[in-house]
Amino acid sequence: MADTAIECGEKARSRSEPPGRPPRNRAVMKHFDVLGGLDYLAADYHRQDFSKHLHNEYLIGLIERGIHDVWCRGEVWHAGSGTVATFAPGEPHFGGAGDDLGWSQKIFYMPEGLIRQVLEDSGQNEPGTIDFKSPFQENAPVAHGLSAFWRLLEHGHSSALEIEEYLIRFLPHVFAEAGGSRVAEPKFVPPRFRDVCDFIHAHFDEVLQLAALAALAGCSKATLIDGFKAHFGLPPTRYLIQVRIDEARRLLRRGQHVAEVAVAVGFADQSHLTRHFKAVLGVTPARYLSV
């Protein structure tokens, strides 16, 4: 891991926590059904560690307070107040608080299909997944637009039409300002690793054994772990957890109870789901979609 520190935003002055019970995290994730649907998270973290993970959606958001330290692209990024977060689908990362004060953030999880619809309307769409210049950026107009978008989503009387109009006006500006200079073309994945990936997606709710996955790929366990991670960003075990969490989100949006969802997606119980869900999304399943 590289030890390069890239500063984004002004680092807050560190100070000791007041005596007594430490402050609790406050985080909630909601869903808005527009252009296929998007999730959005508001969080105030004091103690939160994210395990290494990736998202199938575009992640675009804003650090509003404090410092969020994130490992991504082989470097550690110190994302301070006012910094815009920009992650393309499939970009592995992990992190936590940059100092004792924690941080606050608002994050939007936008499916690739939503992004494609909006950019097609603006004439900016190209084949492949659009990359970003960097995972964190200083851009005051984009930061202001994200705050305005959050207020629009949280306004009880905003219609799907208003939200769609805002996205069509705003998102092309985000990609014009923060998008990368290249379009990431689909990478070639050897068939044996693609077969394992497809098998995980088809059998995520079952107990999977590394030996069986290696046999499917026709290679050693070590070769499977290294090769799968090289092509999909995570080793098979962590990728399986990611698939289960994505499926859990889908079932929770359908109104299923958390305990039922845990079993349905292959976790041992509700606490097992909760631990992994929070380590990837920063919010518990009980606070996902809560009012």
Side-chain angles (χ1 to χ4, degrees), residues 66-236:
I67 303 291
H68 183 24
D69 278 1
V70 177
W71 179 93
C72 185
R73 301 188 185 183
E75 298 174 323
V76 177
W77 302 73
H78 303 301
S81 177
T83 303
V84 174
T86 49
F87 287 81
E91 191 157 38
H93 57 284
F94 65 88
D99 59 26
D100 291 339
L101 301 179
W103 81 100
S104 298
Q105 64 182 25
K106 286 185 170 64
I107 303 293
F108 304 92
Y109 299 84
M110 301 184 181
E112 195 159 1
L114 182 153
I115 298 295
R116 285 187 178 278
Q117 288 184 67
V118 171
L119 295 186
E120 281 176 0
D121 285 337
S122 67
Q124 292 188 25
N125 196 36
E126 299 180 60
T129 298
I130 301 175
D131 202 357
F132 287 106
K133 298 172 185 176
S134 66
F136 293 101
Q137 309 185 27
E138 295 286 353
N139 192 307
V142 171
H144 177 77
L146 289 169
S147 295
F149 183 44
W150 177 267
R151 291 192 296 270
L152 189 62
L153 287 172
E154 286 294 275
H155 191 278
H157 301 294
S158 297
S159 66
L161 178 62
E162 291 174 283
I163 302 299
E164 184 174 350
E165 286 180 351
Y166 189 90
L167 287 172
I168 290 173
R169 290 196 310 268
F170 175 60
L171 283 181
H173 173 69
V174 173
F175 281 89
E177 290 285 320
S181 57
R182 66 182 179 85
V183 175
E185 297 296 338
K187 296 183 295 184
F188 171 75
V189 178
R192 62 181 178 178
F193 298 128
R194 172 59 65 187
D195 289 345
V196 171
C197 181
D198 291 343
F199 187 87
I200 290 174
H201 279 273
H203 301 274
F204 64 85
D205 57 342
E206 302 173 14
V207 177
L208 302 184
Q209 300 293 336
L210 190 61
L213 296 179
L216 176 63
C219 63
S220 69
K221 296 176 185 177
T223 298
L224 171 63
I225 293 169
D226 293 341
F228 194 94
K229 181 179 179 181
H231 291 286
F232 295 103
L234 299 172

Side-chain angles (χ1 to χ4, degrees), residues 210-287:
L210 190 61
L213 296 179
L216 176 63
C219 63
S220 69
K221 296 176 185 177
T223 298
L224 171 63
I225 293 169
D226 293 341
F228 194 94
K229 181 179 179 181
H231 291 286
F232 295 103
L234 299 172
T237 301
R238 293 226 59 85
Y239 190 87
L240 171 61
I241 291 172
Q242 188 84 44
V243 172
R244 287 174 171 174
I245 290 171
D246 289 342
E247 180 65 13
R249 288 168 66 187
R250 188 184 71 82
L251 296 179
L252 289 168
R253 287 197 296 268
R254 288 171 49 180
Q256 291 190 218
H257 188 272
V258 177
E260 296 173 344
V261 169
V263 175
V265 301
F267 287 114
D269 51 35
Q270 181 174 335
S271 64
H272 196 198
L273 166 63
T274 297
R275 176 164 59 87
H276 288 295
F277 200 96
K278 188 172 184 290
V280 169
L281 293 171
V283 63
T284 66
R287 295 292 289 167

